[in-house]
Structures are given as structure tokens and as C-alpha cells.
Amino acid sequence: MLKLASVTRRIPVSAIAVAQRVGVSIVWRRDYSKIYPSADKAIEDIPSGSTILFGGFGLCGIPEDLIGAVANKPQINNLTAVSNNAGIDGVGLGKLLNTRQIKRMVSSYVGENKEFARQYLCGELEVELTPQGTLAERIRAGGAGIPAFYTATGFGTAIQHGGTPIKHTTDGATEIAAPPREVRTFNGRDYVMETSITGDYALIKAWKADELGNLMFKASANNFNAPMATAGKITIVEAEEIVPVGELSPSEIHIPGIHVHRIVKGSKYEKRIEKVTVRNDDESHADLPPAMQKRIKIIRRAAREFKDGMYANLGIGMPMLASNYIEPGTTVHLQSENGILGLGPFPLQSQVDPDLINAGKETVTVLPGGSFFSSDTSFAMIRSSRLDLTILGGMEVSQTGDLANWIIPGKMVKGMGGAMDLVSAANTKVVVTMDHNDKSGHPKILEKCSLPLTGVGCVNRIITDKCVFDVVPGKGLLLRELAKGVTVEDVRSSTGCNFEVAADVAETY
């Protein structure tokens, strides 16, 4: 039996009279209030073994008080936690990892959470790694009552074939492996089937909630909160502000109250930022270390890919720097997969906002005309090829354009994040930026990738510190440009596959 809070408000008689005068029949039962006195009360009936959806992206928009309340009740354990990632060590869901209350994580990204990676690699934690856009859509579908759907994301990779460890043994072998996906062909293209996700509970964070449970999110704190609010059998909202019914304009409401069952007012916000990144307009490249200067050279060349009016997505790390080198007079609309269109430069220190971060968890600004939206909406843009260009990093690229950039089995687990979704968009140009060789001097451009794939035949162009390759469908690599001081023979000796040389190849950057 669902335990409900006590009665607090009923419809004013005057409101009923007004509705009756205009011929409206009201059936608004306020037999109970959705407002709970504390996070502890709101989560006290969560049983062990539950599946819980946790809103947020990184540390942005996470329900801090609700997570803390669960962490304070160690008897709530053996949980399946669905979240894009698991915070950082000891913060956000990192708290529940430390208390060993989570049995399985369903996530797209491990990132910088060392304890998350350690527990997974040591066989202490089950981890179901899922492409970020697929994760968002699985949750959205669950909230919409759709049991499954097909997507091109992950076709030809371990997502389709299965076998990726969900759980390791203590000696590193695979104890539980991900199952293969069903495949179907539509209009000549192959797709994998993904099942939807619902939660016994959804714990989410809102900026404002009214007493009916109508919700507003702030800036990029919308992210996974919106779809998760619809996919919980019991949705519990932690709101920064609770306002009376009618104070939120209907056009301001992101999630209607029909999806919300319990509301608590947050009280102990840290709003920690993973990567406070600010701009320095006086920065000089001359003082940068050689490795960074090499990266700047790659990124300056990558920035030439931008054309006026383009919509583009820049991957975390080195690709994100390309926005600093857009040619004056060129307008590029930058999209971030956590729910932003119209990214601006990094903020000044005075502009830092914990509710405004990019997909790399860095603080950002938004240009006039920019917009915010949920993670499922963001990846709908991506999958439908609304983006003209995506620039990503890479660990390996094959001569046929296969990309690997998300895991080194048994050693390094970053997760695929949104990369698999980005490279699966049929009509989006994919450019990979990376060092030509690894730290040991081994080539990263190969006949065949040795690491698990992010995408098959998805790369259009490779830009390294030595050269620019185009991937020519059905033929292989074509050397188009050279970095200054680099010869064709230099490229041959440092590349792990054969390639053709364009007749007009020249030093261009």
C-alpha cells in the first residue's frame, strides 16, 4: 500500500464556482499532498533490490538530498541504479558505490570515477554499459509505454554482438556477459533492437515544482531528469523551490505533474562542479608544454572543417578546443549532447554556473538564440542527422574508417558516452582528431582496429599531428594534407596500413 502524506490543501470554492460558470467540470481530487517533509521520509519505503533511475548528468542536476538519504539507510541495498554515470569518488552516486548499496549500474560513462572503474574491473560491481543516446531513448520509451525500438547505434560493435563483461570474476575473466541484440534491416540499413527501461523509483532534481508536481528545470540540469521523471513507477522530486499551484505558467512547465508522486524541498545543496573551466583572453600558446602545442596544431586544422551556418557537435577533450579557433565571421551552432544548442565560450569566473555545463562537465556559456532541452531530445537531433559535423577523439582508426575510442578491455573503462550515437548518424560528417602515434610510438591508424569498436565504417576524415587522411568508401585512406615539416615517407613509416597519396598533397598546417 502506497504510504501518502497528510492532507494539506483543497480546491478553493471560488475556483470551483468560476469553473462551473464557464461550463468546466472539475475532477481534481486533493485527498493527499505530494509534499513530503524530508528526503528521509520520501524514500523510507524503498525496498532492497529496487531499480532506481537517478537524474542528472555528471554532478549537474543530481538529487543530492535524495541520494544522501538513501546512503544513510544501508538497509536499502542490492540496487540497480540507472544513471548516465555515477558522479565522482564519494560525490553523487559515488556515495552509494562507497557504501556498497549498488549491485548493478546501467550507465553510458564511467569517466573519472576511479572507484566505479575499480569495482567493475575487480568484479565487485555489475555494469551494463549502454550508449548515451540509447540509454536516454530506452528511458523515454519506458515512460511512453513502448517496450522496445530499433536504432542504428551500436550496429557492428560489441553492442550488437554481445560479450562485453557486465561482471568480471576476481581474476578478470567474464562472469556475466552482455547478450547479443536482435538485428533487422529497414530501408537498406541495419538496426539493433533495444528494450525500454522503467524504474521502481525515479529520483530526480527540479529547479521549481508546484504542489501538483508540475516541474521546471534550469539550463543544462534538464538532461536525464526529464525522461526519468516519466519512467518511474514512483517518481520522487527534489526541488530547489516549491511554489503554489498557478505560479508556474503552463508554457514554462517541462514535466506535467501527472508523472510526479512525491516532492521534497532540497535543503543541503553543494552543487559541486566537476571541471570549473574559465577563459583567459590573454592566454599565450608559447608557454604551453610541447604536448599541448601539438594538440593545438591538430585543433587549429580541425577548426577549418567549420562552415558558416553549420550545426556541429564537439567531443570531450581535444575536439572541444576547436571552438576557440572558429574563423571570424563564421557562425557555427555548437550542440552538446547533455541538452544545449548554441554553446558559447568558456565563462569568466564571475559567470560560472553549476547548472550550465557541457558534455565534458566543463562550465560553459550559451549564446543569444541558444536553447536547452532534455537528453532524449538531444539525441533525437543526433540520430536524425540534424548535425552537419561531429569531431571526436580516437584511440584507433582503421583504413576503412572503423573507430575505437571507448575501452581498453581489462585496463581502462571510460564508456562510450554519446560517441556511438554520434558516429551512427547517417548524414553527419565524422572527423577524428588524435595523435598519429601512441606514447610508445605505435601507430594508431591501422589495417584493422584491435580495440572494441565505437562504429563501423563511420569515419570520414582523420586529422593528426602529421597529416590529414580522407576515408574513401570502398578504397581506403587517401593522404590529403601534410603538417609542416612532415614528408610522405614520414607518414608511411608511422602509419600501420597502406594508403594512397593525393596528387596535390601539400603542407597546409
Side-chain angles (χ1 to χ4, degrees):
M1 188 74 176
L2 182 63
K3 185 175 181 180
L4 302 172
S6 60
V7 175
T8 58
R9 291 177 183 265
R10 294 185 181 277
I11 304 173
V13 174
S14 58
I16 296 176
V18 169
Q20 288 174 338
R21 282 201 301 270
V22 296
V24 177
S25 176
I26 291 184
V27 185
W28 181 12
R29 296 191 310 165
R30 291 300 304 273
D31 300 323
Y32 67 90
S33 170
K34 294 182 179 182
I35 311 299
Y36 277 63
S38 68
D40 289 335
K41 282 290 184 184
I43 62 92
E44 67 179 355
D45 63 345
I46 296 178
S48 292
S50 295
T51 295
I52 305 180
L53 315 180
F54 290 92
F57 182 90
L59 300 180
C60 179
I62 62 171
E64 296 180 55
D65 286 3
L66 292 172
I67 292 171
V70 174
N72 289 333
K73 292 186 179 295
Q75 66 270 28
I76 303 176
N77 53 43
N78 201 34
L79 299 173
T80 294
V82 181
S83 177
N84 182 63
N85 51 355
I88 59 176
D89 294 336
V91 182
L93 286 187
K95 290 182 178 180
L96 302 186
L97 291 176
N98 286 349
T99 56
R100 301 297 197 275
Q101 289 169 266
I102 297 176
K103 176 184 178 181
R104 174 176 288 203
M105 286 293 311
V106 181
S107 301
S108 83
Y109 196 65
V110 176
E112 290 69 43
N113 192 322
K114 295 179 182 178
E115 180 62 14
F116 187 175
R118 188 200 67 77
Q119 287 188 23
Y120 172 55
L121 293 173
C122 293
E124 299 172 14
L125 177 70
E126 298 175 12
V127 177
E128 183 183 333
L129 286 169
T130 303
Q132 189 179 143
T134 296
L135 179 63
E137 187 64 13
R138 289 178 70 188
I139 296 164
R140 189 208 66 80
I146 297 171
F149 59 91
Y150 287 90
T151 176
T153 301
F155 178 81
T157 75
I159 296 297
Q160 176 204 338
H161 300 306
T164 299
I166 289 177
K167 186 179 182 183
H168 295 94
T169 61
T170 54
D171 60 359
T174 299
E175 181 175 331
I176 302 173
R181 302 294 200 270
E182 178 185 317
V183 174
R184 285 191 63 182
T185 302
F186 298 92
N187 300 318
R189 194 172 186 209
D190 296 315
Y191 295 79
V192 299
M193 190 183 81
E194 296 283 359
T195 55
S196 63
I197 293 175
T198 57
D200 300 307
Y201 293 81
L203 308 187
I204 71 166
K205 166 73 182 297
W207 178 30
K208 294 181 181 180
D210 70 17
E211 294 163 316
L212 287 179
N214 295 310
L215 306 180
M216 284 181 64
F217 304 108
K218 183 183 176 186
S220 65
N222 188 327
N223 54 61
F224 276 86
N225 280 300
M228 285 184 173
T230 71
K233 295 175 184 175
I234 297 176
T235 294
I236 307 175
V237 176
E238 176 182 322
E240 293 187 32
E241 185 178 350
I242 300 175
V243 301
V245 173
E247 186 164 318
L248 300 181
S249 165
S251 61
E252 294 177 319
I253 293 169
H254 295 119
I255 293 293
I258 193 171
H259 296 293
V260 175
H261 304 88
R262 306 175 188 176
I263 309 165
V264 297
K265 188 178 186 305
S267 59
K268 301 175 183 176
Y269 293 124
E270 183 180 0
K271 283 200 170 184
R272 188 163 168 177
I273 302 172
E274 286 186 58
K275 300 176 183 177
V276 178
T277 309
V278 296
R279 71 176 182 264
N280 181 356
D281 295 332
D282 298 324
E283 185 177 27
S284 170
H285 294 158
D287 298 329
L288 295 175
M292 192 60 189
Q293 290 190 38
K294 182 168 67 171
R295 285 187 158 204
I296 295 298
K297 178 169 71 171
I298 297 170
I299 287 306
R300 281 186 180 275
R301 171 56 190 84
R304 297 184 197 168
E305 299 296 312
F306 295 129
K307 308 301 179 187
D308 193 38
M310 261 189 173
Y311 290 89
N313 179 288
L314 305 181
I316 63 176
M318 181 163 56
M320 187 61 68
L321 299 174
S323 61
N324 296 329
Y325 303 99
I326 298 172
E327 287 291 329
T330 300
T331 298
V332 179
H333 308 282
L334 296 178
Q335 193 253 22
S336 186
E337 55 262 44
N338 59 314
I340 306 173
L341 184 62
L343 280 174
F346 293 125
L348 299 173
Q349 186 63 53
S350 61
Q351 296 174 309
V352 168
D353 182 348
D355 291 319
L356 185 48
I357 64 166
N358 63 20
K361 288 87 174 180
E362 300 166 309
T363 48
V364 292
T365 61
V366 173
L367 297 174
S371 57
F372 302 111
F373 33 86
S374 61
S375 292
D376 56 310
T377 298
S378 181
F379 280 95
M381 297 175 187
I382 290 168
R383 279 192 303 272
S384 60
S385 297
R386 301 297 182 185
L387 299 178
D388 301 295
L389 172 70
T390 184
I391 303 178
L392 305 93
M395 295 177 184
E396 294 177 346
V397 180
S398 79
Q399 63 183 349
T400 56
D402 298 343
L403 171 65
N405 74 349
W406 67 278
I407 189 172
I408 301 175
K411 295 182 180 180
M412 187 206 75
V413 185
K414 289 292 185 184
M416 64 284 289
M420 282 191 178
D421 306 276
L422 286 161
V423 302
S424 71
N427 299 314
T428 298
K429 182 177 181 179
V430 176
V431 175
V432 171
T433 56
M434 64 182 188
D435 293 336
H436 203 94
N437 302 87
D438 65 21
K439 293 179 181 178
S440 299
H442 300 124
K444 297 172 68 173
I445 302 172
L446 308 165
E447 289 185 8
K448 184 177 180 180
C449 293
S450 63
L451 298 173
L453 297 182
T454 304
V456 176
C458 58
V459 178
N460 301 108
R461 176 163 284 182
I462 310 166
I463 302 174
T464 77
D465 52 302
K466 296 182 184 296
C467 68
V468 175
F469 280 120
D470 279 347
V471 181
V472 181
K475 294 183 178 180
L477 298 181
L478 177 65
L479 180 62
R480 299 288 310 182
E481 302 174 34
L482 295 168
K484 291 181 180 178
V486 177
T487 67
V488 172
E489 287 309 311
D490 291 333
V491 176
R492 288 197 189 282
S493 65
S494 57
T495 303
C497 61
N498 294 325
F499 56 85
E500 297 296 322
V501 181
D504 59 349
V505 67
E507 296 180 10
T508 63
Y509 65 104

